[in-house]
């Protein structure tokens, strides 16, 4: 059997195992291990399987994961989200649909610190949905803005998914964090535009208008100072070259705990819950990364990605068609696969093809994260939609589906913009790091 | 971070394993706290006193080993590993239960392969006497920590296979 054929068999076996409910990490690890056995024999496969877990589990670069997860878990316990929403609703008062816009803005800010789309969607639903309902907002608009806003956390830095992409694609974490900032802000602006357009087209979807004075708006700006402090210190520190990502994550986690304890927002029980959550979430990610590294090594040995790239070139497929096919593949896989698993499974296969066509791996990282975001919100299976319904069971899932549809335009526009102007992602890392 | 009430209502073996994973989560939590505090202290000392903590980089690497290999036990004990559960929507309860057992079994096979494979490089680290540069600590210490952690994880996974009902995800996280 030729290596590419073994590679193809491995990919098919991987999907069979995944759909048979075998955990993502075990599917990747087993296919990677037995694939390496088929290609290089037992001793070589055991050597790789023996060193990979330790290499991953002692990687300084990956220490950023548990520390940022801890920061997010603590931030979730400290009611930071309610401060953000309270400030945003006052600042945006007087704007028609202001509560929906405030929800998106607060979700983007909270998601940046929290890093988890699901946690952001769940937390913001509890805070913002009752307010929007009280103001007479349409359920579709309310839940659509919650789902869309909740998905922003994985694009706006610090993003765990980008750290994982960096480890698998051998990219710089600070550069990826720089590349994702402006697309993240742009996507926030696009979601806000969609919410505003929906309100303009159907004014009855957002009937209420809250009035506040200019002085109140300025006062509200000072409300979420803790968030600003955390974000500026951690991400600003990385951009300015003051801290490495691990240092920024440690300071962010420590800062979040300090803010919580000194402000009496978090007790011992909540702190322990946050730590336990961080341990479990982070270690689940680590075992997947271990499995993905084994699978990735196997894929490289098979030359399957290079063969696919050659096949695409031989067939004279234009780069745009190849990229469109890859994006469609991501959207389809987003129906079944969880985001991080999807990145770990696909990047070793797709990245050589993408770079073979001359695209920048940093730019591709941003595209991948945006498409993963779409997977979180597109009906009928987007995870954020179910999270919102779980928080508000009285809401019909069909209302949520109807509400999210207009918001799906925003990431598609962003993907098109990134194809036309790749510098949207690439200029900031270039300015910061040359 | 207390032992789960639901688990303490299980049989004696599962209760014992519950305690094991609880101890491992605590070890991982301590490692996480150490990782955070050492890094914060290093930054503080570097910028305020121009005197960084010696070996902080290696301490982070070492605490990460403790964190990862002990923290993973909880995920296995709670069947919290990420799965694609699409099949649950159309398969009956019995088929789902069978698939859960099957995936428990394959997880154990994968863990056992990794644990067994890790003993080779661990022996090599012992034989060669490699040490951390700044801490002057033998690297095989870390291999021992990793092997103990993965052995504990294996025990938790075996306990789940033999002593816990096959229902989709006992506890969330």
């Amino acid at each position: 059997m030729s290596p590419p054929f073994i590679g193809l068999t491995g990919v098919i076996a991987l999907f069979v195992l995944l759909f048979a409910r075998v955990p993502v990490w075990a599917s990747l690890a087993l296919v990677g291990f037995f694939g390496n056995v088929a290609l290089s024999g037992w001793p070589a496969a055991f050597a790789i399987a023996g060193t990979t877990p330790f290499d991953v589990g002692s990687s300084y670069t990956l220490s950023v994961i548990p520390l940022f997860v801890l920061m997010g878990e603590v931030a979730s316990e400290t009611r930071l989200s309610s401060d953000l929403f309270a400030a945003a609703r006052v600042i945006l008062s007087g704007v028609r649909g202001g509560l929906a816009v405030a929800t998106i803005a607060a979700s983007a800010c909270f998601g940046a610190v929290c890093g988890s789309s699901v946690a952001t969607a769940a937390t913001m639903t509890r805070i913002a949905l009752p307010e929007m309902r009280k103001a007479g907002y349409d359920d579709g608009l309310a839940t659509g803005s919650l789902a869309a806003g909740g998905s922003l956390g994985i694009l706006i830095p610090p993003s765990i998914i980008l750290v994982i992409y960096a480890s698998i694609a051998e990219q710089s974490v600070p550069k990826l964090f720089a590349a994702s900032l402006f697309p993240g802000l742009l996507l926030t602006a696009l979601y806000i535009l969609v919410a505003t357009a929906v309100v303009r087209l159907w004014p009855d979807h957002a009937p209420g208008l809250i009035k506040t004075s200019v002085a109140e708006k300025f006062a509200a700006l000072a409300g979420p100072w803790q968030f600003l402090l955390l974000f500026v210190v951690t991400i600003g520190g990385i951009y300015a070259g003051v801290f490495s990502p691990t240092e920024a994550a440690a300071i962010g986690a420590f800062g979040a705990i300090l803010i919580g304890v000194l402000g009496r927002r978090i007790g011992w029980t909540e702190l322990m819950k946050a730590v336990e959550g961080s341990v479990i979430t982070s270690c689940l990610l680590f075992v997947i990364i271990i499995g993905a590294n084994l699978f990735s090594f196997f894929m490289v040995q098979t030359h399957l990605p290079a063969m696919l790239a050659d096949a695409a070139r031989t067939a004279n497929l234009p780069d745009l068609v190849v990229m469109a096919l890859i994006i469609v593949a991501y959207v389809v896989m987003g129906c079944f696969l969880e985001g991080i698993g999807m990145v770990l499974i696909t990047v070793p296969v797709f990245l050589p093809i993408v770079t073979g066509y001359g695209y920048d791996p940093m730019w591709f990282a941003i595209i991948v994260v945006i498409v993963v975001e779409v997977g979180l919100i597109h009906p009928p299976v987007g995870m954020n939609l179910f999270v919102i319904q779980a928080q508000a069971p009285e809401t019909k899932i069909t209302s949520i589906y109807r509400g999210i549809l207009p918001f799906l335009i925003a990431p598609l526009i962003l993907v098109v913009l990134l194809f036309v102007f790749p510098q949207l992602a690439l200029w900031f890392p270039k300015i910061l790091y040359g | 971070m207390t032992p789960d009430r639901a688990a303490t209502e299980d049989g004696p073996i599962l209760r014992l394993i519950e305690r094991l994973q609880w101890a491992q989560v605590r070890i991982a939590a301590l490692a996480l706290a150490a990782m955070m505090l050492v890094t914060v202290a290093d930054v503080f000392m570097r910028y305020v006193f121009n005197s960084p903590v010696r070996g902080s980089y290696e301490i982070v690497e070492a605490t990460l080993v403790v964190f990862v290999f002990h923290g993973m036990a909880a995920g296995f004990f709670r069947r919290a590993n990420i799965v694609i559960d699409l099949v649950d929507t159309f398969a009956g309860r019995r088929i789902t239960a069978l698939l859960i057992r099957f995936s428990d079994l394959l997880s154990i096979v994968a863990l056992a392969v990794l644990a067994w494979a890790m003993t080779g490089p661990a022996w090599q680290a012992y034989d060669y006497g490699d040490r951390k540069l700044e801490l002057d600590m033998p690297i095989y210490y870390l291999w021992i920590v990793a092997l103990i952690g993965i052995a504990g994880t294996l025990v938790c996974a075996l306990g789940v296979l033999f002593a816990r009902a096959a229902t989709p995800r006992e506890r969330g996280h």
Side-chain angles (χ1 to χ4, degrees):
Chain A
M1 275 197 291
S2 67
F5 182 77
I6 294 173
L8 198 62
T9 312
V11 171
I12 293 166
L14 176 70
F15 278 94
V16 170
L17 288 175
L18 287 174
F19 287 107
R21 241 186 164 282
V22 177
V24 174
W25 87 271
S27 307
L28 287 163
L30 288 170
V31 171
F33 176 75
F34 287 107
N36 287 327
V37 170
L39 288 170
S40 317
W42 290 94
F46 265 110
I48 298 156
T51 49
T52 301
F54 194 81
D55 289 345
V56 170
S58 62
S59 159
Y60 184 84
T61 312
L62 292 177
S63 61
V64 71
I65 293 177
L67 293 166
F68 269 136
V69 170
L70 178 62
M71 180 173 102
E73 292 274 353
V74 174
S76 297
E77 295 288 333
T78 53
R79 304 188 304 276
L80 194 62
S81 46
S82 51
D83 284 4
L84 282 166
F85 181 69
R89 74 191 291 270
V90 173
I91 293 162
L92 293 161
S93 60
V95 176
R96 192 163 279 282
L99 282 178
V101 176
T103 300
I104 294 166
S107 298
C109 295
F110 183 67
V113 174
C114 172
S116 159
S117 290
V118 168
T120 306
T123 311
M124 292 308 299
T125 301
R126 286 196 296 270
I127 294 160
L129 191 59
E131 294 279 341
M132 284 194 271
R133 281 190 172 149
K134 210 171 8 175
Y137 275 50
D138 171 68
D139 258 10
L141 173 65
T143 52
S145 49
L146 280 162
S151 72
L152 289 163
I154 59 168
L155 182 59
I156 297 175
S159 155
I160 300 294
I161 213 162
L162 283 175
V163 175
I164 289 170
Y165 179 95
S167 87
I168 204 109
E170 294 176 349
Q171 294 295 305
S172 146
V173 174
K175 281 185 179 178
L176 284 180
F177 281 1
S180 67
L181 181 67
F182 285 92
L185 295 176
L186 192 55
L187 188 56
T188 311
L190 287 169
Y191 280 145
I192 287 173
L193 267 178
V194 171
T196 317
V198 168
V199 174
R200 195 169 275 268
L201 285 171
W202 296 282
D204 58 316
H205 279 20
L209 259 182
I210 310 161
K211 291 265 165 85
T212 50
S213 67
V214 177
E216 280 175 307
K217 287 184 182 179
F218 272 106
L221 276 173
W225 64 271
Q226 300 99 330
F227 157 76
L228 288 172
L229 188 70
L230 273 181
F231 189 77
V232 168
V233 169
T234 52
I235 298 306
I238 295 173
Y239 288 164
V242 179
F243 308 132
S244 69
T246 296
E247 289 169 350
I251 288 167
F254 187 70
I257 293 171
L258 267 189
I259 288 167
V261 171
L262 296 180
R264 298 182 176 217
R265 291 159 163 263
I266 188 168
W268 182 251
T269 316
E270 290 85 10
L271 185 58
M272 286 302 101
K273 192 177 148 205
V275 171
E276 190 183 6
S278 312
V279 170
I280 295 172
T281 305
S282 309
C283 290
L284 293 180
L285 294 178
F286 270 95
V287 287
I288 297 182
I289 297 170
I290 290 169
N293 269 269
L294 288 170
F295 179 73
S296 177
F297 190 86
F298 164 56
M299 273 294 112
V300 171
Q301 300 279 92
T302 62
H303 308 297
L304 184 65
M307 202 192 77
L308 287 174
D310 284 346
R313 269 194 294 268
T314 313
N316 283 327
L317 285 180
D319 56 345
L320 278 178
V321 173
V322 174
M323 289 306 297
L325 288 173
I326 288 176
I327 288 171
V328 169
Y330 271 110
V331 173
V332 172
M333 277 188 285
C335 296
F336 317 108
L337 293 175
E338 175 276 337
I340 287 170
M342 191 158 80
V343 168
L344 287 168
I345 292 164
T346 55
V347 168
V349 180
F350 289 154
L351 187 63
I353 301 173
V354 172
T355 51
Y357 272 94
Y359 288 103
D360 191 298
M362 249 186 329
W363 171 89
F364 183 59
I366 308 307
I367 295 283
V368 168
V369 175
I370 295 168
V371 186
V372 167
E373 271 198 42
V374 173
L376 284 168
I377 58 174
H378 77 65
V381 286
M383 177 65 86
N384 277 12
L385 310 180
F386 297 124
V387 168
I388 290 167
Q389 207 210 7
Q391 297 298 317
E394 69 285 356
T395 314
K396 284 184 184 159
I397 194 74
T398 46
S399 299
I400 305 178
Y401 287 166
R402 176 174 53 78
I404 197 61
L405 283 177
F407 288 94
L408 289 171
I409 298 165
L412 292 179
I413 292 174
L414 183 58
V415 168
V416 172
L417 284 174
L418 280 165
F419 269 95
V420 180
F421 308 109
Q423 291 306 318
L424 280 173
L426 300 176
W427 73 274
F428 195 44
K430 199 165 185 186
I431 282 180
L432 287 180
Y433 307 106
Chain B
M1 219 189 299
T2 51
D4 192 282
R5 186 181 291 261
T8 55
E9 287 161 6
D10 292 319
I13 295 173
L14 209 55
R15 276 209 301 273
L16 211 65
I17 295 168
E18 160 74 6
R19 280 170 195 266
L20 171 70
Q21 70 88 30
W22 185 61
Q24 286 195 276
V25 170
R26 285 205 139 186
I27 292 168
L30 285 175
L32 179 60
M35 201 189 307
M36 179 186 75
L37 291 173
V38 165
T39 310
V40 171
D42 180 49
V43 172
F44 181 78
M45 296 295 284
R46 190 170 73 220
Y47 283 110
V48 178
F49 299 108
N50 199 24
S51 165
V53 175
R54 192 173 150 268
S56 63
Y57 187 93
E58 290 180 352
I59 295 172
V60 169
E61 286 180 335
T63 48
L64 189 64
V65 171
V66 181
F67 175 81
V68 170
F69 289 97
H70 285 275
M72 61 169 73
F76 283 82
F77 183 75
R78 296 161 201 222
R79 277 206 190 102
N81 280 302
I82 296 167
V83 295
I84 313 299
D85 54 5
L86 200 71
V87 72
D88 295 8
T89 52
F90 52 84
R93 285 176 79 93
R94 285 183 64 178
I95 292 180
T96 305
L98 262 174
L99 287 174
I100 290 170
R101 287 279 180 241
F102 175 65
S103 66
D104 282 348
L105 195 67
L106 284 193
S107 289
I108 288 164
V109 170
L111 260 181
V113 166
L114 294 185
W116 179 251
M118 282 171 70
T119 55
W123 273 115
Q124 275 179 6
Y126 177 75
D127 282 341
Y128 297 157
D130 297 342
R131 303 176 91 86
K132 287 278 181 191
L133 279 176
E134 283 192 279
L135 298 177
D136 197 32
M137 182 180 72
I139 291 175
Y140 76 84
Y141 284 6
L142 294 177
W143 278 98
I144 292 172
V145 168
L147 285 171
I148 292 172
I150 207 166
T153 306
L154 203 47
V155 171
C156 288
L158 281 166
V160 167
L161 174 69
F162 290 113
R164 181 164 275 183
T167 51
R169 189 175 283 207
E170 276 77 9
R171 281 181 286 170
H173 63 277

